[in-house]
Each structure stands twice: as structure tokens, then as C-alpha cells.
Amino acid sequence: MRGTLRHAAPALLGYLAVRLVGLAVLARWTHLKGHGIWPELAASWDSRWYLGIAEHGYEPVDGAPGDPRSLAFFPLYPALVKAVAAVTPGSRASVGLVIAVICSFVAAWGIFAVGDRLHGRRVGTVLAVLWGSLPVAVVQWMGYTESLFTALAAWGLYAALDGRWAWAAGLSVAAGLTRPTGVAVAAAVIVAGLLAARRGSRPALAAALVAPLGWLGYVGWVGWRLGRWDGYFAVQKLWGNEWDGGEVTRLALRTHLVYNKDPQFFLAVVSVVLVVSTGLYLLCLADRQPLPLLVFAGVLLLVVLGSGGVYFPRARFLLPGFPLLLPLALAITRARRHVAALVLTGASLSSAWLGGHMLLVWYGPP
């Protein structure tokens, strides 16, 4: 364990450095606006929904009718917040933030491990630093589920690549209890497990069968609770989210990148992220990445691009899609050192500024 951590130390230190830059910029920005940084990170927007679930579960409060929209939020993160807060000092909001920060390092470690396994230590390090320098990477240190989910996804994919089927199945189940896009992790483990099962591996077949149970279990429970088989999808419609095959995405991209004479900057950034992510996936296909990574990133993209709901959080929804960054990591490691340093520094600084803009200038949720 100690040797493995030492091997990953450059990646974790690089990740820490870029996130501290982002934190410093955000702290200064909030100070100039006359309020603190803690509420922005620990108790804003979706964080309040998770904290409400940690406090009261999905039940009505004080006799008031429960808000069925809370059922759109998967249970693992608020359950962790509740469990840890019960045995530690501090508020649930503080506990939720600490859990997210710790999980972000576990995620960076898992991302490094995947890159290191495929292409060596330097690529793994750059991959982790790039993940910490994404345009909306500030969310990794907020009371949201992205860091927890990315940690489960990264290590679950690593386990599938390494043939550790019990770990792959367990982490897939946990990912399926964390976010709706847990279906992407399950799909990757199912495909990898079935291919290995064709070669006679019974543990791989068992992993393929177990992998989707977390996601199916929660979606099924919501359906049972609401008394209709499509209960979870009905809840998503209350948020304006439903599958439309990408029509809303197409129209929004056309509006924000082509026809709008005065586009909102944050929505333009989201649009660019979606376009670039699609291009990077094509490069991943050309590079013939391992099938579990291609399936995970492909299903994640399909869910995000094909949903007809709210547009602004889609860059955040793609945060766990670290395999999309592999072509960039490979290109950076092949470049001259001063070029690589310039690119990573620019990515870090732009991420820091965009994070502050998203939380303090953009008027909506991240």
C-alpha cells in the first residue's frame, strides 16, 4: 500500500496543486464580493438536497407532504454524510464537503492508476492533473457526488482491466447507488465480464450479473415507492429531464455557438465542453482504448447528450469521463517539457477562473 501510494505521489501532488490554485482564486473572489467561501462549496444548490436527504431521508418532514423531486438524488452520498456525521463533530454540510474532498483524491489516484497501467507513470500523472484542471473542476471540492462517483468509476474500471472481478462488481454496485450515470460503469463491467466469461471465467460472469444491481435496485425502489414501474423516470420529468435522443442538445448547441449574438458565457463554455468531449471520444476510438473505457465513456456521453432536460449542468455531468482525457494526456507527455508545462499551467489557471465564474457570476447552479 505504501509503495503504491509513493508511486502515485506525483499525480496526487500535481492534483493537489491545481485544486489549491482554484481554491485560492475562489477564496479571493468570494472575499471581494463580501462573503465566505464555505457556503459556496458546502451548502449551495444540489448540496442542500443531499443534506436534506441526510437529515430526513426521503420522508415527509413535520407532517408536510414530501417533495418527490428528492427521489432523483441517489442515496449513497447522503447516507455516507449521515453515517460519518453521527460519529464526528461538525455539521453535516462540513462532513459532506470533507467526504467530497477525500473522494477527489481517491478519484485522482484511480485515474492515475488507469493511465499508469495503460501507458506508464508519466501519462497517469498528467491524466490526473488534467482531470483536476477541467473547466468545472471546482465541483470536485463541493458537497456534490461527482468526486465520489468518479472514485468508484475509476477504481471499478481499473479492477475490470485488471481482472479483479469481485472489486469491479462491488464498485459498480456502489456507483449505481451514487448517480444516475452509474449505468455507464455497470455497462462497462458487464461488457468486460461477458467477454472474459467467454474465455471460461466464472467470476467475470458473476461480476457481469451483479454490476447493474445498485442502479436497478434504486430505480426499482423508487418505482415501488411511487406505485408505478417508471416512477424514477417520472421523477426526472418533474425536473424537466427525459430522453429525447439529443434534440435539445442539438438546438442548444446551435443557439449558444452559432445564432445567439450575445451568448451567456457559461452556457457557451458548456457547449464547447460537449463538442470537445465528442471529438475526444472519436480520438479514443481511433486509439483503440480498452473496451471497458470506451463503453463507460460512450454510455456517459450518450446519457448526457441524449437527455432532453436542463442544459447548464452537462459539463459537470461529464466530469467523471476521465477516459476522454487520455488522448490529451498522451499528446502532452509526448510534447517538449516546456510545452507540456505551459499547457498544464494554462489549464490550471483557466479552470481556477472558470470555477470562480461559475459559482459567483453565473446565476444558476453549476
Side-chain angles (χ1 to χ4, degrees):
M1 176 68 175
R2 185 176 299 175
T4 305
L5 183 59
R6 187 182 299 115
H7 185 65
L12 297 178
L13 290 173
Y15 173 76
L16 174 63
V18 298
R19 292 312 325 136
L20 286 178
V21 170
L23 186 65
V25 170
L26 184 61
R28 178 60 179 167
W29 206 328
T30 54
H31 176 73
L32 292 175
K33 291 180 76 71
H35 56 84
I37 190 174
W38 184 90
E40 297 293 338
L41 298 178
S44 63
W45 301 107
D46 284 4
S47 299
R48 294 196 291 266
W49 284 92
Y50 288 116
L51 293 174
I53 295 169
E55 178 74 23
H56 306 291
Y58 297 101
E59 300 299 328
V61 180
D62 297 330
D67 189 338
R69 293 181 300 166
S70 67
L71 293 167
F73 297 90
F74 279 53
L76 184 57
Y77 175 71
L80 287 175
V81 171
K82 182 175 183 178
V84 175
V87 296
T88 58
S91 66
R92 284 187 170 88
S94 297
V95 168
L97 182 57
V98 169
I99 289 175
V101 172
I102 292 173
C103 287
S104 75
F105 284 96
V106 178
W109 190 358
I111 291 167
F112 163 80
V114 172
D116 178 42
R117 189 182 193 280
L118 296 178
H119 301 289
R121 189 183 192 189
R122 191 178 177 195
V123 171
T125 299
V126 172
L127 188 63
V129 172
L130 282 176
W131 182 69
S133 304
L134 288 172
V136 294
V138 65
V139 175
Q140 296 166 9
W141 283 13
M142 292 179 65
Y144 276 59
T145 59
E146 272 69 22
S147 290
L148 171 61
F149 179 74
T150 306
L152 295 168
W155 284 108
L157 292 170
Y158 179 83
L161 291 172
D162 208 38
R164 302 182 184 185
W165 298 112
W167 279 103
L171 291 166
S172 176
V173 169
L177 291 170
T178 304
R179 290 195 58 78
T181 45
V183 68
V185 183
V189 174
I190 289 171
V191 170
L194 291 177
L195 288 176
R198 290 180 60 186
R199 299 190 292 270
S201 173
R202 290 185 178 180
L205 178 60
L209 295 174
V210 170
L213 294 185
W215 188 88
L216 290 174
Y218 181 69
V219 170
W221 178 80
V222 173
W224 172 82
R225 181 184 175 99
L226 297 180
R228 49 186 297 183
W229 70 270
D230 63 342
Y232 178 76
F233 304 100
V235 170
Q236 285 289 357
K237 285 184 180 181
L238 296 176
W239 288 94
N241 293 326
E242 57 184 318
W243 177 262
D244 73 345
E247 182 64 15
V248 165
T249 303
R250 184 185 67 83
L251 294 175
L253 288 173
R254 187 175 66 174
T255 298
H256 298 304
L257 296 181
V258 180
Y259 290 110
N260 195 335
K261 295 181 180 180
D262 187 22
Q264 293 176 317
F265 177 74
F266 179 67
L267 295 180
V269 170
V270 171
S271 300
V272 171
V273 168
L274 297 183
V275 172
V276 171
S277 296
T278 304
L280 288 174
Y281 186 68
L282 296 177
L283 291 177
C284 293
L285 290 171
D287 287 344
R288 297 183 179 181
Q289 282 185 12
L291 193 56
L293 300 186
L294 291 175
V295 171
F296 169 70
V299 173
L300 183 66
L301 266 175
L302 186 65
V303 171
V304 173
L305 297 178
S307 297
V310 288
Y311 187 74
F312 54 82
R314 298 193 187 201
R316 171 168 65 86
F317 293 165
L318 286 176
L319 261 180
F322 69 92
L324 298 172
L325 301 173
L326 265 172
L328 293 178
L330 286 166
I332 290 171
T333 54
R334 291 165 182 164
R336 295 183 178 181
R337 291 200 172 189
H338 70 278
V339 174
L342 183 63
V343 170
L344 292 176
T345 300
S348 173
L349 293 176
S350 64
S351 174
W353 183 81
L354 287 168
H357 182 279
M358 180 178 68
L359 294 183
L360 301 173
V361 178
W362 164 249
Y363 59 82

